Amino acid sequence: MSRKTSTSTSTSNSTDPELTHKLSRRGMLGVAAGATAAALLGATAPTAAARSAGRGRPVLPPGRLGIQLYSLRDKVSTLGFAKVFAELERFGYDEVEYAGYTQGSAGPITLAQLRRLTRDHGLRGIGSHVGYYSDGNPGAYTFAQNLTKVLDDAQALGLKHIGTASGPWRYGATVDGWKRAAQDFNTYGAAAKARGMKFYQHNHAEEFSFATDKPDVRLYDVLLAETDPDLVYLEMDIYWAYAAQFRFGKRVDGTPAPFDPLDYVLKQPDRYPLFHVKDGEHDASARDGYRMVDVGDGDIDYQRFISAVSKTRGGRRDHHWQAEHDNPVESFAFARKSSAHLHSLREKDC
């Protein structure tokens, strides 16, 4: 995969001068010019063994490895948080990102108990995923329906970040629809900031698709341009961003529209406090261009990605890396392998 930083202006928003101005003003270049098809597929990515062969300092910043608990939902529901956290502590994790605050059949738990269990196992709660909105259900536990309750709970857990894995699709896939969703996000971000937290949105692949009314405009660029960078942050799911590179590297009319996910981060590193680290094997026959695998078993070059982000101003202090697999074969094995692999990565020798 190409890792070159673009120095040319994105052409994906050329038909919307207002959007182009906003992106330029915020230093956001969403597209790496001149990327080839081989770069889109990452055909020359080094193997995992080659990436970890260096003897320099660890790529992973100390104290910054977390895990999205959705990956361990089977263990949380059967064993409970305490036993899961004990394993994560043993595997060398520092942080957890919650995916709900209950533990199913393992029995009820209060927020105070959950916070204490997290702390007692040497872990920090770094963030949580909550729904964006729910049509027809005013009592839904979402930002749109119950913002105060969502923020109350996050504050009770001592979270620094509170976000959503829902895409900004509430008002459709047009530019104006995403501008309206961006204003919702600004509202949630202002409310979170007033409580000392950061609101964030987690992407899937489709956020990088094109507006239905302006097929030259990438929707992710609209989100970045229309949200206030002091109020709305991003959690890049790196796997889905590279799947999007494969799926949406061309516009609807077939003309090239390449981009590099890393470029988005390097242009505005302060907007990306959180990352999801999941891996994939290249498979050009698959819809997403990848098959999801355990971290370290795939082709995404995390040695280069994490190294590049860590070299930005405050990069080894301000970013948090959450291992994830949507459906691991064995979730504890996934967690153990992911931690071991990410801790093994070293900076390249000079």
Side-chain angles (χ1 to χ4, degrees), residues 1-5 39 42 44-48 50-52 59-60 238 242 260 262-263 265-266 299-312 321 341-342 345-348:
M1 279 168 270
S2 173
R3 293 296 191 278
K4 294 181 180 178
T5 301
T44 60
T47 64
R51 292 174 213 144
S52 59
V59 165
L60 189 70
I238 300 166
Y242 279 113
D260 186 336
L262 182 57
D263 283 347
V265 180
L266 296 183
D299 300 309
I300 296 178
D301 188 348
Y302 279 111
Q303 194 278 340
R304 290 196 67 186
F305 197 103
I306 299 175
S307 290
V309 175
S310 294
K311 290 173 183 174
T312 62
W321 306 90
H341 174 71
L342 292 170
L345 297 179
R346 294 291 183 270
E347 299 283 1
K348 290 183 177 179

Side-chain angles (χ1 to χ4, degrees), residues 261-273:
L262 182 57
D263 283 347
Y264 276 101
V265 180
L266 296 183
K267 293 301 182 291
Q268 289 187 303
D270 291 345
R271 294 203 76 178
Y272 292 88

Side-chain angles (χ1 to χ4, degrees), residues 143-144 146-152 154-155 159-160 162 183-200 228 230-233:
F143 283 96
N146 277 290
L147 176 61
T148 299
K149 175 61 173 171
V150 167
L151 296 181
D152 284 347
Q155 199 164 25
L159 301 183
K160 295 182 179 180
I162 180 68
Q183 292 313 305
D184 285 349
F185 285 6
N186 285 334
T187 298
Y188 310 150
K193 184 176 182 179
R195 308 239 198 156
M197 293 180 285
K198 293 180 178 180
F199 170 81
Y200 64 95
D228 187 329
D230 291 328
L231 301 177
V232 177
Y233 297 84

Side-chain angles (χ1 to χ4, degrees), residues 4-60:
K4 294 181 180 178
T5 301
S6 171
T7 56
S8 61
T9 302
S10 167
T11 58
S12 67
N13 49 45
S14 59
T15 59
D16 192 327
E18 179 186 1
L19 178 62
T20 300
H21 171 72
K22 287 182 177 180
L23 289 173
S24 177
R25 174 170 53 83
R26 292 179 182 173
M28 184 63 239
L29 302 181
V31 178
T36 64
L40 284 173
L41 290 173
T44 60
T47 64
R51 292 174 213 144
S52 59
R55 292 175 293 178
R57 70 173 178 173
V59 165
L60 189 70

Side-chain angles (χ1 to χ4, degrees), residues 51-98:
R51 292 174 213 144
S52 59
R55 292 175 293 178
R57 70 173 178 173
V59 165
L60 189 70
R64 291 295 182 267
L65 178 62
I67 192 165
Q68 166 50 249
L69 290 174
Y70 181 76
S71 303
L72 296 160
R73 60 195 181 277
D74 61 324
K75 298 296 194 294
V76 171
S77 66
T78 57
L79 303 176
F81 283 113
K83 291 184 178 179
V84 169
F85 290 167
E87 290 298 284
L88 294 179
E89 182 180 20
R90 191 165 66 87
F91 296 156
Y93 284 92
D94 309 295
E95 301 171 335
V96 293
E97 183 180 36
Y98 300 106

Side-chain angles (χ1 to χ4, degrees), residues 235-311:
E235 175 179 63
M236 179 174 280
D237 186 303
I238 300 166
Y239 172 90
W240 288 122
Y242 279 113
Q245 187 190 56
F246 178 83
R247 290 178 58 189
F248 304 114
K250 292 182 179 179
R251 300 182 184 87
V252 177
D253 64 4
T255 57
F259 72 94
D260 186 336
L262 182 57
D263 283 347
Y264 276 101
V265 180
L266 296 183
K267 293 301 182 291
Q268 289 187 303
D270 291 345
R271 294 203 76 178
Y272 292 88
L274 306 175
F275 294 88
H276 273 192
V277 178
K278 60 176 67 161
D279 214 342
E281 290 181 332
H282 289 297
D283 183 352
S285 68
R287 183 195 68 162
D288 296 320
Y290 292 89
R291 299 287 183 187
M292 196 177 297
V293 297
D294 289 349
V295 177
D297 290 344
D299 300 309
I300 296 178
D301 188 348
Y302 279 111
Q303 194 278 340
R304 290 196 67 186
F305 197 103
I306 299 175
S307 290
V309 175
S310 294
K311 290 173 183 174

